[in-house]
Amino acid sequence: MAAKRSNEANRSIVVVSNRLPFTIQRTSKGLERRPSPGGLVSALEPVLRKRGGNWIGWPGIELRDKEKISLEEEEAYHVTPVLLSEAEITRYYHGFSNRTLWPLLHSMPARAKFEHRDWETYERVNERFGEAAVTQATGAGLVWIHDYQLMLAPRRIRQAVGDTRLAFFLHIPFPPYDVFRLLPWDREILRALLTCDLIGFHVRSYAHNFLDCVQRILGARVQRDPMLVEYGGRTTSVGAFPLGIEFDLFESLALAAPRQNGAARERVVLGVDRLDYTKGIPERIRAFERLLELHPEHRENVVLLQVAVPSRSQVAEYRELKREIDELVGHVNGRFATADWSPIRYLYRSFTQQKLAALYRDANVALITPIRDGMNLVAKEFIAAQVGDPGVLILSRLAGAADTMREALLVNPYDIEGAAEAIHRGLEMEEAERRSRVAALRRRERRDDVEAWLKAFLQAAGKAHAPMEPIADAEFVAWLSEFLKEYHLALFLDYDGTLTPLVDHPSRATLSKPMRAALEACADRDDIDVAVVSGRSLSDIRATVRHPELTYAGNHGLEIEGPGFPAFVHEDLVHYRARAEELARDLDKIGVDGAWTEAKGPTLTYHYRAVPEKRRGNFINEAREIINRAGYQARDAHCAVEAKPPIGWDKGRAVLHILRQRYGPSWSEDVRVIYVGDDETDEDAFRFLSGLAQTFRVGSPDTPTAAVRRLSDPAAVQKLLEWIGRRGA
Ligand code: ADQ
């Protein structure tokens, strides 16, 4: 195993991100490639060059008819552009990514718009990115998906290439449960992420928020140390990987940059951000204004140099923010400026890294006060550039960077007074203190640079994770103790796939000895009634389970029999029994080796588990069509298509029937209900019982479920039954 893994460390890697490592721009000379700036690109590129692989992303432009981007192949790795139409860019990128997920994940739900059409486009575009990755993924050591624009893409990749190693890194915060659950599509996003082997966040608190969400929203099992999630049989590991910068680069740029011309006598408080409402620019300007009010000695001696890169100007809120900042700057300058001094110098444009490094180096104070930020790399770049007289870093404690950069002056950006006092303190700080703080910060950022981050992430992604601790009583206690306390329990269990593993032929699905013992322990108790609800015929399920005191519901509940109430047969049963025989004959005519029809009275099941996977083609569709033509409903089960008569009756109705018959119409006051099942037909019961019961779906992590929780397999069901049977004894 170890040898296999170390080989994997050298295998190619597929990176999937919204943007390619370069942007295509339309110029007078045609389409031109410009490298995308940023540490991430420069960190990942060498890895791709060394190991080979593919970078999949959007080139940043909508192509006109017949326009082709020249993708002279990189020497060592490929680039796969995902082309998006203008409508897709509007709904997927400006819409769902930047107007829904961005504010919500930054815990600003009031700004989030929830539009169904944006979501649909986001889904579709994510599928497209996923598909592009699928064609590259076979044989790759790792597929690595980046950031909030592509949270659904892993799902598509996992469906197509089952065993490829998949990892995801989120560059922005992950919010607490109370905020994330406002998203109407919270479950879909969490489920898609859990198809990954590894999910990385900047800091531990985001990882913890994610664990809370999967536990509470999906009912996944969570282990906090090491951080692992088990969801219906698949295990995902979760971790904090704080991103660093190219420290050496910023240091050498700062050493090389010429002194600024005519270095003014004023001292500089510097802000550098993308123009974004998460960055706290208006709050920062107010804090600076307050400084000038509280400490007039800084007037004419200090300036706030605010650099803002234009960003997302297609989104109305960003244009609104720009207007607000323009006005605020005007207001403060109008209020305090003198003939030869203006308190705020505001530059609304992008700068080269050389120029930024010089600004960082020469600033006296860096004022980095986002109201929420995944990490914040500007703070780190500022520290790397402190190669001369050391400056002071004032950092919002709401930025991910504050988790590690403890030696900065940490402020709450909403506390305008406090921030103003911190600026004052920064401007007054003795050199010795500045030097000690900067030295400690530099040592850490030099060590934990982007290379170190990459190494840690790739190592974690390549490693088989520790197995999750097997499910244990403590979890059942937490889930069910309070719920069951002093109540009578009605326990409903599906059979195939729930009490027994799925096998080729139903006749081989027999209860294991310990499972039988667990079932009997439950059935023997006076305060528990057990019912088995199955798709098999009543006589079949009764004969298979062979326990005289249980309630049995066969044919998805069309026939019911149990102690203490009259046997039930749905009135349409006879009619559909005759028609089912005809349908069985039609299905047999398909004539595929290994496929066969199981007649169960009014319903039947067309099994194809024994047909080799590569031969499972059209005939399944044909079976569905024959079933539908016969006036039945075709429903997919595990390697089978079930034909259900169109009777308004399902496992949910059957459960209700049993509960009313046994305990009377006020059953919900006196009886607690648990339902455990593993397939689509159990979903009817989960839906019917929502809010009324504890429901468990067994296996199938990628299928949506209405159940409250997941169990990995029949072995976990057995543990649950053992606990229920033993409880309080
Ligand atoms: P951003 O929100 O973009 O990134 P940040 O981490 O600060 O925030 O990165 C900004 C980058 O843009 C820096 O590298 C900086 O040098 C550059 N930049 C800023 N102003 C500039 C200017 N005027 N001209 C040119 N370049 C400028 C998201 C998350 C962050 C997370 C990063 C990385 O929001 O929290 O740290 O991803 O994961």
Side-chain angles (χ1 to χ4, degrees), residues 37-40 102 106 147 169-173 202 206 243 245 250 272-274 276 278-279 307-310 312 347-353 356 360 368 372-379 381 400 453:
L40 190 68
W102 177 268
H106 281 88
D147 226 2
F169 187 81
L170 185 69
H171 289 262
I172 66 176
H202 280 305
Y206 307 158
L243 180 58
I245 56 157
F250 272 90
V272 174
D273 314 81
R274 252 184 334 95
D276 196 297
T278 59
K279 302 292 183 183
V307 181
V309 202
R312 303 179 193 170
L347 311 176
Y348 177 60
R349 57 176 179 271
S350 185
F351 282 91
T352 60
Q353 285 184 322
L356 278 182
Y360 292 144
I368 304 187
R372 197 79 184 123
D373 212 336
M375 174 55 74
N376 192 299
L377 299 180
V378 170
E381 292 165 2
W453 171 80

Side-chain angles (χ1 to χ4, degrees), residues 551-580:
T551 296
Y552 294 100
N555 268 314
H556 304 298
L558 288 171
E559 321 170 80
I560 304 172
E561 190 182 272
F565 63 94
F568 165 84
V569 179
H570 196 280
E571 54 195 11
D572 290 350
L573 197 70
V574 183
H575 167 69
Y576 278 99
R577 192 168 273 155
R579 287 186 54 182

Side-chain angles (χ1 to χ4, degrees), residues 62-342:
E62 195 207 356
L63 295 184
R64 297 189 187 133
D65 274 356
K66 299 206 185 91
E67 258 181 348
K68 278 234 157 63
I69 40 177
S70 80
L71 285 174
E72 316 107 56
E73 293 280 296
E74 299 292 328
E75 318 76 67
Y77 72 93
H78 302 272
V79 165
T80 307
V82 176
L83 302 179
L84 302 176
S85 70
E86 199 162 326
E88 284 171 335
I89 294 161
T90 304
R91 292 203 171 272
Y92 145 76
Y93 182 64
H94 301 307
F96 199 76
S97 297
N98 288 334
R99 280 173 44 202
T100 308
L101 289 176
W102 177 268
L104 193 75
L105 269 56
H106 281 88
S107 293
M108 301 180 184
R111 288 183 183 267
K113 306 274 185 303
F114 301 110
E115 294 237 9
H116 210 276
R117 285 174 61 194
D118 288 356
W119 161 253
E120 284 167 357
T121 310
Y122 181 83
E123 259 195 307
R124 207 172 49 240
V125 169
N126 268 254
E127 290 269 313
R128 188 109 54 78
F129 275 86
E131 224 139 78
V134 165
T135 51
Q136 314 296 332
T138 324
L142 175 71
V143 180
W144 187 2
I145 300 135
H146 286 266
D147 226 2
Y148 65 102
Q149 302 93 346
L150 297 176
M151 289 171 122
L152 293 177
R155 179 175 78 184
R156 178 73 189 84
I157 304 170
R158 179 63 78 204
Q159 278 163 0
V161 272
D163 56 354
T164 297
R165 279 196 98 65
L166 269 185
F168 183 90
F169 187 81
L170 185 69
H171 289 262
I172 66 176
F174 196 91
Y177 162 74
D178 257 349
V179 174
F180 188 72
R181 67 173 165 157
L182 298 176
L183 184 69
W185 307 278
D186 53 351
R187 301 168 73 92
E188 284 86 342
I189 292 210
L190 296 175
R191 264 204 317 270
L193 288 175
L194 288 182
T195 63
C196 293
D197 299 287
L198 173 67
I199 305 172
F201 298 92
H202 280 305
V203 298
R204 277 183 81 80
S205 61
Y206 307 158
H208 281 290
N209 288 344
F210 178 76
L211 294 179
D212 289 345
C213 284
V214 295
Q215 187 168 39
R216 300 178 70 174
I217 297 173
L218 294 182
R221 287 185 63 219
V222 160
Q223 194 173 302
R224 304 245 161 197
D225 190 21
M227 292 192 267
L228 293 171
V229 182
E230 182 203 271
Y231 187 59
R234 183 184 295 126
T235 306
T236 298
S237 98
V238 173
F241 302 88
L243 180 58
I245 56 157
E246 287 177 286
F247 188 94
D248 296 345
L249 172 75
F250 272 90
E251 184 184 58
S252 53
L253 288 176
L255 283 167
R259 284 246 126 234
Q260 313 279 84
N261 274 343
R265 62 189 167 81
E266 300 140 352
R267 306 173 69 212
V268 173
V269 175
L270 176 68
V272 174
D273 314 81
R274 252 184 334 95
L275 191 99
D276 196 297
Y277 52 76
T278 59
K279 302 292 183 183
I281 302 173
E283 290 78 0
R284 187 179 311 163
I285 294 172
R286 283 194 202 100
F288 191 73
E289 179 182 24
R290 191 75 184 122
L291 170 84
L292 299 178
E293 282 169 5
L294 291 172
H295 300 282
E297 69 271 26
H298 296 305
R299 296 183 196 172
E300 298 192 78
N301 291 318
V302 176
V303 326
L304 170 64
L305 175 58
Q306 175 64 52
V307 181
V309 202
S311 176
R312 303 179 193 170
S313 39
Q314 290 89 334
V315 180
E317 293 206 279
Y318 286 75
R319 291 196 297 271
E320 179 50 40
L321 174 69
K322 170 156 191 311
R323 198 167 325 121
E324 185 188 348
I325 294 171
D326 287 349
E327 276 171 22
L328 258 175
V329 170
H331 159 78
V332 177
N333 278 345
R335 185 171 165 203
F336 291 101
T338 59
D340 46 12
W341 172 76
S342 283

